[in-house]
Amino acid sequence: MLKILLVYATNSAGTFVVADIINNILAKDFSVNMLNASETGLNDADNYDVIILGSPTWDYGGRDGMPHEMMMELLNKWQHKSLAQKQFAVFGCGDKMFVEFCAAVDYMEKFIDSAGGRLLLPSLRLNNFFFELDNNTELAKKWAGDLRKKLSFQA
């Protein structure tokens, strides 16, 4: 069975809610382990076929447009790992009123590329998650469903 690691970092729980939606959809067909980025270790990526990363866009180290602090700490741990055999998917929450809307997604995509990983599908970017809850929930469900279909062909 395909093993999936779903890692999220969250500030106001929006990214957690999205991760939970994704987990509920994928867990119907796959073995999914959902972890907060702060609970994810250096070698956790080794045990999974697919890694899903989710983070809000944040200020990290005085720079806007970065992943949440806990996600950055994890990516820094993984920066020297070869992830060439890994498949990835990425999602993020943001606010379009900021110039750096969902820039954490861009950062994580670049990280994956530099580590030799491969994105399975276009990343999910959600605007004002709780203020547009119904629409964003539907977008998250659709994205997770698309990922589920793509992974079903590999299982």
Side-chain angles (χ1 to χ4, degrees):
M1 178 177 274
L2 203 61
K3 292 174 64 178
I4 300 170
L5 176 62
L6 172 52
V7 181
Y8 69 92
T10 193
N11 182 56
S12 58
T15 311
F16 167 77
V17 173
V18 176
D20 196 48
I21 291 167
I22 295 166
N23 180 45
N24 288 333
I25 290 171
L26 296 180
K28 295 173 184 173
D29 296 315
F30 308 106
S31 173
V32 182
N33 187 15
M34 185 171 124
L35 293 175
N36 188 301
S38 65
E39 302 169 339
T40 308
L42 174 65
N43 296 317
D44 284 338
D46 299 343
N47 303 316
Y48 296 90
D49 306 299
V50 177
I51 300 168
I52 303 169
L53 301 175
S55 177
T57 297
W58 207 245
D59 177 312
Y60 179 78
R63 292 180 54 206
D64 285 334
M66 303 296 285
H68 187 278
E69 169 182 6
M70 295 302 162
M71 183 60 71
M72 284 300 299
E73 289 178 14
L74 176 61
L75 297 179
N76 288 337
K77 283 184 209 174
W78 284 359
Q79 71 180 337
H80 297 295
K81 288 188 76 63
S82 172
L83 300 170
Q85 302 302 317
K86 301 296 179 185
Q87 300 176 94
F88 286 85
V90 175
F91 68 95
C93 297
D95 186 332
K96 284 187 178 177
M97 78 176 223
F98 293 104
V99 174
E100 301 289 347
F101 171 70
C102 284
V105 170
D106 300 327
Y107 186 94
M108 292 184 289
E109 288 177 344
K110 288 175 188 165
F111 170 82
I112 292 163
D113 186 55
S114 70
R118 182 174 65 89
L119 280 174
L120 288 163
L121 73 167
S123 298
L124 175 65
R125 292 168 171 83
L126 297 171
N127 181 46
N128 289 321
F129 184 75
F130 286 115
F131 293 104
E132 300 175 20
L133 186 59
D134 291 342
N135 183 55
N136 284 320
T137 298
E138 288 308 310
L139 290 171
K141 286 179 180 178
K142 182 188 179 318
W143 186 82
D146 291 346
L147 179 58
R148 181 178 171 203
K149 285 179 198 166
K150 187 157 195 105
L151 293 172
S152 293
F153 289 114
Q154 298 178 20

